[in-house]
Amino acid sequence: MKFCNDTVMAFDAPRRVFGPGETLTFDDAYRLAHLPLVAPGHAEIIAGKDGTDYRNGRYDTPRHSLVVPIDAQALGRSDTFQAFEAELRSFSFSDKIAWQLGRERAGKLHATIVGGLSEPDIARCVQAVTVALAPLGALALRLGGPFLGRINTGRIYLPVYPCCHHDEDVFGLVQQACGARQTRFHVVGLYHFAAALTAAETTDLAGLAERWRRRVLAELPVTSLAVMATNDDLALSGRIVATIPVSGE
């Protein structure tokens, strides 16, 4: 099975690269949507903001997205992932990672394929994806080494490299079927910082990210896509409202 690589995927432009003396601090997006759930009571929390429906990291009206679920147990069985996480835990900054939150989210891990689905669009999207998946057969993805982005700066992501069909990103084909923009960008938010880093800690994190960025941490089968509803951006309230099986043939 052939997988997309960095020449196909769009990870380089939004990747955060830290220079000497720089520190990892929280941007407004993280302070509004994530920090209230990661570290309730933190002094930098943005509890609400005009023009948004966030209140302490949650919102009343659920949001729906087409996602690919990620099997946390299968990821955890990967020897390469285990080696990466062991190194991550070896640094002093790992004490600032909300590990318990990660355990709470283990059953909700996913990469978003199409966000912002309106409820009337869900049935149409499910049907379009079902048709688009039919000729593709078995699917899989690779999870790469850590991705630090320019948005939501308190999160460590794993980039998703989907398999190809006739040299096309299969998730891009799904986006196209739904009438959505082909992003070439799919990530799994895995770790969350509860406190900003010092310059020395940031240097350690940047070095870790650079050492591991070209590695494949795990290769996992894609058995289904799903429509997820959630009332928070960490999907702590996430629930599956539709499942679209992937053919294994």
Side-chain angles (χ1 to χ4, degrees):
M1 187 175 288
K2 183 179 179 182
F3 291 86
C4 298
N5 56 30
D6 283 323
T7 64
V8 175
M9 306 306 292
F11 294 124
D12 287 341
R15 189 186 303 274
R16 175 81 184 273
V17 177
F18 292 92
E22 285 192 277
T23 59
L24 184 147
T25 57
F26 301 146
D27 65 346
D28 285 355
Y30 188 79
R31 292 169 60 202
L32 176 69
H34 301 102
L35 193 58
L37 305 175
V38 175
H42 194 289
E44 294 186 57
I45 284 172
I46 300 176
K49 188 174 181 180
D50 290 345
T52 74
D53 58 352
Y54 287 96
R55 292 295 178 271
N56 291 313
R58 295 179 171 84
Y59 31 84
D60 291 334
T61 302
R63 299 180 182 177
H64 297 84
S65 300
L66 178 71
V67 306
V68 52
I70 302 298
D71 186 335
Q73 291 186 335
L75 172 61
R77 288 193 293 268
S78 164
D79 291 341
T80 308
F81 175 77
Q82 291 174 20
F84 162 71
E85 190 165 273
E87 185 172 343
L88 176 66
R89 288 179 178 272
S90 73
F91 290 99
S92 61
F93 66 74
S94 72
D95 290 342
K96 296 181 176 180
I97 294 175
W99 294 103
Q100 178 58 37
L101 179 72
R103 288 187 283 271
E104 292 172 11
R105 296 183 68 247
K108 309 291 180 68
L109 289 186
H110 66 278
T112 299
I113 307 302
V114 180
L117 288 176
S118 66
E119 289 196 60
D121 278 341
I122 291 174
R124 178 192 61 81
C125 182
V126 168
Q127 178 59 29
V129 172
T130 301
V131 172
L133 291 177
L136 301 184
L139 303 182
L141 58 81
R142 286 176 171 170
L143 293 174
F147 174 89
L148 305 172
R150 300 176 184 275
I151 300 174
N152 292 328
T153 52
R155 301 186 95 187
I156 301 176
Y157 296 90
L158 299 186
V160 175
Y161 295 88
C163 60
C164 298
H165 181 74
H166 299 316
D167 295 325
E168 289 284 343
D169 160 17
V170 293
F171 295 153
L173 296 177
V174 169
Q175 290 172 328
Q176 189 177 45
C178 289
R181 180 173 65 91
Q182 292 181 268
T183 61
R184 311 292 190 199
F185 182 86
H186 320 295
V187 291
V188 180
L190 193 58
Y191 305 104
H192 301 80
F193 284 107
L197 303 190
T198 66
E201 290 169 338
T202 301
T203 296
D204 286 341
L205 175 62
L208 174 75
E210 185 59 31
R211 283 191 297 279
W212 285 89
R213 63 177 290 190
R214 304 294 183 187
R215 301 284 299 276
V216 176
L217 300 189
E219 185 175 310
L220 305 175
V222 176
T223 58
S224 67
L225 300 185
V227 175
M228 175 180 283
T230 183
N231 291 80
D232 68 274
D233 284 3
L234 294 186
L236 293 170
S237 59
R239 57 272 186 200
I240 300 300
V241 300
T243 299
I244 310 162
V246 172
S247 170
E249 298 179 0

Coordinates of all heavy atoms in Angstrom, one line a residue, residues 97-162:
I97 N 2.5 18.5 30.8 CA 1.5 17.9 29.9 C 0.4 17.3 30.7 O 0.6 16.7 31.8 CB 2.2 16.8 29.0 CG1 3.2 17.4 28.1 CG2 1.1 16.0 28.3 CD1 4.0 16.4 27.3
A98 N -0.8 17.5 30.3 CA -2.0 17.0 31.0 C -2.2 15.6 30.6 O -3.1 15.2 29.8 CB -3.3 17.9 30.7
W99 N -1.5 14.7 31.3 CA -1.5 13.3 30.9 C -2.9 12.7 31.3 O -3.4 11.8 30.5 CB -0.4 12.5 31.7 CG 0.9 12.9 31.2 CD1 1.8 13.7 31.9 CD2 1.6 12.5 30.0 NE1 3.0 13.9 31.2 CE2 2.9 13.2 30.0 CE3 1.2 11.7 28.9 CZ2 3.8 13.0 29.0 CZ3 2.1 11.5 27.9 CH2 3.4 12.2 27.9
Q100 N -3.5 13.1 32.4 CA -4.8 12.5 32.7 C -5.8 12.9 31.7 O -6.7 12.0 31.3 CB -5.2 13.0 34.1 CG -6.6 12.5 34.6 CD -6.7 11.0 34.6 OE1 -5.8 10.3 35.0 NE2 -7.9 10.5 34.2
L101 N -5.8 14.1 31.2 CA -6.7 14.5 30.1 C -6.5 13.6 28.9 O -7.5 13.2 28.2 CB -6.5 15.9 29.7 CG -7.3 16.5 28.6 CD1 -8.8 16.7 29.1 CD2 -6.8 17.8 28.1
G102 N -5.3 13.2 28.6 CA -5.1 12.4 27.4 C -5.7 11.0 27.6 O -6.2 10.4 26.7
R103 N -5.7 10.5 28.9 CA -6.3 9.2 29.1 C -7.8 9.3 29.0 O -8.5 8.4 28.5 CB -5.9 8.7 30.5 CG -4.5 8.2 30.6 CD -4.2 7.6 32.0 NE -4.0 8.6 33.0 CZ -2.8 9.2 33.3 NH1 -1.7 8.9 32.6 NH2 -2.7 10.1 34.3
E104 N -8.4 10.5 29.4 CA -9.8 10.7 29.3 C -10.2 10.7 27.8 O -11.4 10.4 27.5 CB -10.2 11.9 30.0 CG -10.1 11.9 31.5 CD -10.3 13.2 32.2 OE1 -10.8 14.1 31.5 OE2 -10.0 13.3 33.4
R105 N -9.4 11.2 27.0 CA -9.7 11.4 25.5 C -9.4 10.2 24.7 O -9.6 10.2 23.5 CB -8.9 12.6 25.0 CG -9.3 13.9 25.6 CD -8.5 15.1 24.9 NE -9.0 15.3 23.5 CZ -8.3 15.0 22.4 NH1 -7.0 14.6 22.5 NH2 -8.7 15.2 21.2
A106 N -8.8 9.1 25.3 CA -8.3 8.0 24.5 C -9.3 7.4 23.6 O -9.0 7.0 22.4 CB -7.7 7.0 25.4
G107 N -10.6 7.4 24.0 CA -11.7 6.8 23.2 C -12.2 7.8 22.2 O -13.1 7.4 21.4
K108 N -11.7 9.0 22.2 CA -12.3 10.0 21.3 C -11.2 10.5 20.2 O -11.5 11.5 19.5 CB -12.7 11.3 22.1 CG -13.7 10.9 23.3 CD -15.0 10.5 22.8 CE -15.9 10.1 24.0 NZ -16.3 11.3 24.8
L109 N -10.1 9.9 20.2 CA -9.1 10.3 19.2 C -9.6 10.3 17.8 O -10.2 9.3 17.4 CB -7.8 9.5 19.4 CG -7.0 9.7 20.7 CD1 -5.7 8.9 20.5 CD2 -6.7 11.1 20.9
H110 N -9.2 11.3 17.0 CA -9.7 11.3 15.7 C -8.9 12.4 14.9 O -8.2 13.3 15.5 CB -11.2 11.7 15.6 CG -11.4 13.1 16.1 ND1 -11.6 13.4 17.4 CD2 -11.6 14.3 15.4 CE1 -11.8 14.7 17.6 NE2 -11.8 15.3 16.4
A111 N -9.0 12.3 13.6 CA -8.5 13.4 12.7 C -9.7 13.9 11.9 O -10.5 13.1 11.4 CB -7.4 12.9 11.7
T112 N -9.9 15.2 11.9 CA -11.0 15.8 11.2 C -10.8 15.8 9.7 O -9.7 16.2 9.2 CB -11.3 17.2 11.7 OG1 -11.6 17.1 13.1 CG2 -12.4 17.8 10.9
I113 N -11.7 15.3 8.9 CA -11.6 15.3 7.5 C -12.4 16.5 6.9 O -12.0 17.2 6.1 CB -12.1 14.0 6.9 CG1 -11.4 12.8 7.5 CG2 -11.9 14.0 5.4 CD1 -9.9 12.8 7.4
V114 N -13.7 16.6 7.4 CA -14.5 17.7 6.9 C -15.2 18.3 8.2 O -15.9 17.6 8.9 CB -15.6 17.3 6.0 CG1 -16.5 18.5 5.6 CG2 -15.0 16.6 4.7
G115 N -14.9 19.5 8.5 CA -15.4 20.2 9.7 C -16.6 21.1 9.3 O -16.9 21.3 8.1
G116 N -17.3 21.5 10.4 CA -18.4 22.4 10.2 C -19.6 21.9 9.4 O -20.2 22.7 8.6
L117 N -19.9 20.6 9.5 CA -21.1 20.1 8.8 C -22.4 20.6 9.5 O -22.5 20.5 10.7 CB -21.1 18.6 8.9 CG -20.1 17.8 8.0 CD1 -20.2 16.3 8.3 CD2 -20.3 18.1 6.6
S118 N -23.3 21.1 8.7 CA -24.6 21.5 9.3 C -25.4 20.2 9.4 O -25.2 19.3 8.6 CB -25.3 22.5 8.4 OG -25.6 21.9 7.2
E119 N -26.4 20.2 10.3 CA -27.2 19.0 10.5 C -27.9 18.6 9.3 O -28.0 17.4 9.0 CB -28.1 19.2 11.7 CG -27.4 19.2 13.1 CD -28.4 19.0 14.2 OE1 -29.0 17.9 14.3 OE2 -28.4 19.9 15.1
P120 N -28.5 19.5 8.5 CA -29.1 19.1 7.2 C -28.2 18.4 6.2 O -28.6 17.7 5.3 CB -29.7 20.4 6.7 CG -29.9 21.3 7.9 CD -28.7 20.9 8.8
D121 N -26.9 18.7 6.3 CA -25.9 18.2 5.4 C -25.4 16.8 5.8 O -24.7 16.2 4.9 CB -24.7 19.1 5.3 CG -24.9 20.3 4.3 OD1 -25.9 20.2 3.5 OD2 -24.2 21.3 4.4
I122 N -25.7 16.3 7.0 CA -25.1 15.1 7.4 C -25.5 13.9 6.6 O -24.6 13.2 6.1 CB -25.4 14.8 8.9 CG1 -24.8 15.9 9.8 CG2 -25.0 13.4 9.3 CD1 -25.2 15.8 11.3
A123 N -26.7 13.7 6.3 CA -27.2 12.6 5.5 C -26.6 12.6 4.1 O -26.2 11.6 3.6 CB -28.7 12.6 5.4
R124 N -26.6 13.8 3.5 CA -26.0 14.0 2.2 C -24.5 13.6 2.2 O -24.0 12.9 1.3 CB -26.2 15.4 1.7 CG -25.6 15.7 0.3 CD -25.5 17.1 -0.1 NE -24.7 17.9 0.9 CZ -23.4 17.9 0.8 NH1 -22.7 17.3 -0.1 NH2 -22.7 18.6 1.7
C125 N -23.8 14.1 3.2 CA -22.4 13.8 3.3 C -22.1 12.3 3.5 O -21.2 11.7 2.8 CB -21.8 14.6 4.4 SG -20.0 14.4 4.6
V126 N -22.9 11.7 4.3 CA -22.7 10.2 4.6 C -22.9 9.4 3.3 O -22.2 8.5 3.0 CB -23.7 9.8 5.7 CG1 -23.8 8.2 5.8 CG2 -23.3 10.3 7.1
Q127 N -24.0 9.8 2.5 CA -24.2 9.1 1.3 C -23.1 9.3 0.3 O -22.6 8.4 -0.4 CB -25.6 9.6 0.7 CG -25.9 9.0 -0.7 CD -26.0 7.5 -0.6 OE1 -26.4 6.9 0.4 NE2 -25.8 6.8 -1.7
A128 N -22.6 10.6 0.2 CA -21.5 10.9 -0.7 C -20.2 10.1 -0.4 O -19.5 9.6 -1.2 CB -21.3 12.4 -0.8
V129 N -20.0 10.0 0.9 CA -18.8 9.3 1.4 C -18.9 7.8 1.1 O -17.9 7.2 0.7 CB -18.5 9.6 2.9 CG1 -17.3 8.8 3.4 CG2 -18.2 11.1 3.1
T130 N -20.1 7.3 1.4 CA -20.3 5.9 1.1 C -20.0 5.5 -0.3 O -19.3 4.5 -0.6 CB -21.7 5.5 1.5 OG1 -22.0 5.8 2.9 CG2 -22.0 4.0 1.2
V131 N -20.5 6.4 -1.2 CA -20.3 6.1 -2.7 C -18.8 6.3 -3.0 O -18.2 5.5 -3.8 CB -21.1 7.1 -3.5 CG1 -20.7 7.0 -5.0 CG2 -22.6 6.8 -3.3
A132 N -18.1 7.3 -2.4 CA -16.7 7.6 -2.7 C -15.8 6.4 -2.2 O -14.8 6.1 -2.8 CB -16.3 8.9 -2.1
L133 N -16.2 5.8 -1.1 CA -15.3 4.8 -0.5 C -15.5 3.5 -1.2 O -14.5 2.7 -1.2 CB -15.7 4.6 1.0 CG -15.3 5.7 2.0 CD1 -15.9 5.4 3.4 CD2 -13.8 6.0 2.0
A134 N -16.6 3.2 -1.8 CA -16.9 1.9 -2.4 C -15.8 1.4 -3.3 O -15.4 0.2 -3.2 CB -18.2 2.0 -3.2
P135 N -15.2 2.2 -4.2 CA -14.2 1.6 -5.1 C -12.8 1.6 -4.5 O -11.8 1.1 -5.2 CB -14.2 2.5 -6.3 CG -14.6 3.9 -5.8 CD -15.6 3.5 -4.6
L136 N -12.6 2.1 -3.3 CA -11.2 2.3 -2.8 C -10.7 1.1 -2.1 O -9.5 0.9 -2.0 CB -11.2 3.5 -1.8 CG -11.6 4.9 -2.4 CD1 -11.5 5.9 -1.3 CD2 -10.9 5.2 -3.7
G137 N -11.5 0.2 -1.7 CA -11.0 -1.0 -1.0 C -10.5 -0.7 0.4 O -10.9 0.3 1.0
A138 N -9.5 -1.5 0.9 CA -9.0 -1.4 2.2 C -8.2 -0.1 2.2 O -7.5 0.3 1.3 CB -8.1 -2.6 2.5
L139 N -8.3 0.6 3.4 CA -7.5 1.9 3.6 C -6.7 1.8 4.9 O -7.0 1.0 5.8 CB -8.5 3.0 3.8 CG -9.5 3.3 2.6 CD1 -10.4 4.5 3.0 CD2 -8.8 3.5 1.3
A140 N -5.7 2.6 4.9 CA -4.8 2.7 6.1 C -4.2 4.1 6.2 O -4.3 4.9 5.2 CB -3.7 1.6 6.0
L141 N -3.6 4.4 7.3 CA -2.9 5.7 7.5 C -1.7 5.5 8.3 O -1.5 4.5 9.0 CB -3.9 6.7 8.1 CG -4.5 6.3 9.5 CD1 -3.5 6.6 10.7 CD2 -5.7 7.1 9.7
R142 N -0.8 6.4 8.1 CA 0.4 6.4 9.0 C 0.4 7.7 9.9 O -0.1 8.7 9.4 CB 1.7 6.5 8.1 CG 2.0 5.1 7.5 CD 3.2 5.2 6.6 NE 3.6 3.9 6.1 CZ 4.5 3.6 5.2 NH1 5.1 4.7 4.5 NH2 4.8 2.4 4.8
L143 N 0.8 7.5 11.1 CA 0.9 8.7 12.0 C 2.4 9.0 12.1 O 3.2 8.2 12.5 CB 0.3 8.3 13.4 CG -1.2 8.1 13.4 CD1 -1.6 7.6 14.8 CD2 -1.9 9.4 13.0
G144 N 2.7 10.3 11.8 CA 4.1 10.7 11.8 C 4.5 11.3 13.1 O 3.7 11.4 14.1
G145 N 5.8 11.7 13.2 CA 6.3 12.3 14.4 C 5.7 13.7 14.7 O 4.9 14.2 13.9
P146 N 5.9 14.2 15.9 CA 5.2 15.3 16.4 C 5.1 16.6 15.5 O 6.1 16.9 14.9 CB 5.9 15.7 17.7 CG 7.3 15.1 17.6 CD 7.1 13.9 16.7
F147 N 4.0 17.2 15.5 CA 3.7 18.4 14.7 C 3.4 19.5 15.7 O 2.4 19.4 16.4 CB 2.6 18.2 13.7 CG 2.2 19.5 12.9 CD1 2.9 19.8 11.8 CD2 1.2 20.3 13.4 CE1 2.5 21.0 11.1 CE2 0.9 21.4 12.7 CZ 1.5 21.8 11.6
L148 N 4.1 20.6 15.7 CA 3.8 21.8 16.4 C 3.4 22.9 15.5 O 4.1 23.3 14.6 CB 5.1 22.3 17.2 CG 5.7 21.2 18.1 CD1 7.1 21.7 18.7 CD2 4.8 20.8 19.2
G149 N 2.1 23.3 15.7 CA 1.6 24.3 14.7 C 1.6 25.7 15.2 O 2.0 26.0 16.3
R150 N 1.2 26.6 14.3 CA 1.2 28.1 14.6 C -0.1 28.5 15.2 O -0.3 29.6 15.6 CB 1.5 28.8 13.3 CG 2.8 28.5 12.6 CD 3.0 29.3 11.3 NE 4.2 28.9 10.6 CZ 5.4 29.5 10.9 NH1 5.4 30.5 11.8 NH2 6.5 29.1 10.2
I151 N -1.1 27.6 15.2 CA -2.4 27.8 15.8 C -2.6 26.7 16.9 O -2.2 25.6 16.7 CB -3.5 27.8 14.8 CG1 -3.3 28.9 13.7 CG2 -4.9 28.0 15.4 CD1 -4.2 28.8 12.5
N152 N -3.3 27.1 18.0 CA -3.5 26.1 19.1 C -2.1 25.7 19.6 O -1.8 24.5 19.7 CB -4.4 24.9 18.7 CG -5.8 25.3 18.4 OD1 -6.3 26.2 19.0 ND2 -6.4 24.6 17.5
T153 N -1.3 26.7 20.0 CA 0.1 26.4 20.3 C 0.4 25.6 21.6 O 1.5 25.3 21.8 CB 0.8 27.8 20.4 OG1 0.1 28.6 21.3 CG2 0.9 28.4 19.0
G154 N -0.7 25.3 22.3 CA -0.4 24.4 23.5 C -0.6 22.9 23.2 O -0.5 22.1 24.1
R155 N -0.8 22.6 21.9 CA -1.1 21.2 21.6 C 0.1 20.6 20.8 O 0.7 21.3 20.0 CB -2.3 21.0 20.7 CG -3.6 21.5 21.2 CD -4.8 21.2 20.3 NE -5.5 20.0 20.7 CZ -6.4 19.4 20.0 NH1 -6.8 19.9 18.9 NH2 -7.0 18.3 20.5
I156 N 0.4 19.3 21.0 CA 1.3 18.5 20.2 C 0.4 17.6 19.4 O -0.4 16.8 19.9 CB 2.3 17.7 21.0 CG1 3.1 18.6 21.9 CG2 3.2 16.9 20.1 CD1 4.1 17.9 22.8
Y157 N 0.5 17.7 18.1 CA -0.3 16.9 17.2 C 0.6 15.7 16.6 O 1.8 15.8 16.5 CB -0.8 17.7 16.0 CG -1.7 18.8 16.4 CD1 -1.3 20.1 16.7 CD2 -3.1 18.6 16.3 CE1 -2.2 21.1 17.0 CE2 -4.0 19.6 16.6 CZ -3.5 20.9 16.9 OH -4.4 21.9 17.2
L158 N -0.1 14.7 16.1 CA 0.5 13.8 15.2 C 0.0 14.0 13.8 O -1.3 13.9 13.6 CB 0.3 12.3 15.7 CG 0.8 11.9 17.0 CD1 0.6 10.4 17.3 CD2 2.3 12.3 17.2
P159 N 0.8 14.2 12.8 CA 0.3 14.3 11.4 C -0.2 13.0 10.8 O 0.4 12.0 11.1 CB 1.5 14.9 10.7 CG 2.7 14.4 11.4 CD 2.3 14.3 12.9
V160 N -1.2 13.1 10.0 CA -1.8 11.9 9.4 C -1.4 11.8 7.9 O -1.6 12.8 7.2 CB -3.3 11.9 9.5 CG1 -3.9 10.7 8.8 CG2 -3.7 11.9 11.0
Y161 N -0.8 10.7 7.5 CA -0.4 10.5 6.1 C -1.3 9.3 5.6 O -1.0 8.2 5.9 CB 1.1 10.1 6.0 CG 2.0 11.2 6.4 CD1 2.4 11.3 7.8 CD2 2.5 12.1 5.5 CE1 3.3 12.3 8.1 CE2 3.4 13.1 5.9 CZ 3.8 13.2 7.2 OH 4.6 14.2 7.6
P162 N -2.4 9.7 4.9 CA -3.3 8.6 4.4 C -2.7 7.9 3.2 O -1.7 8.3 2.6 CB -4.5 9.4 3.9 CG -4.0 10.8 3.6 CD -2.8 11.0 4.5

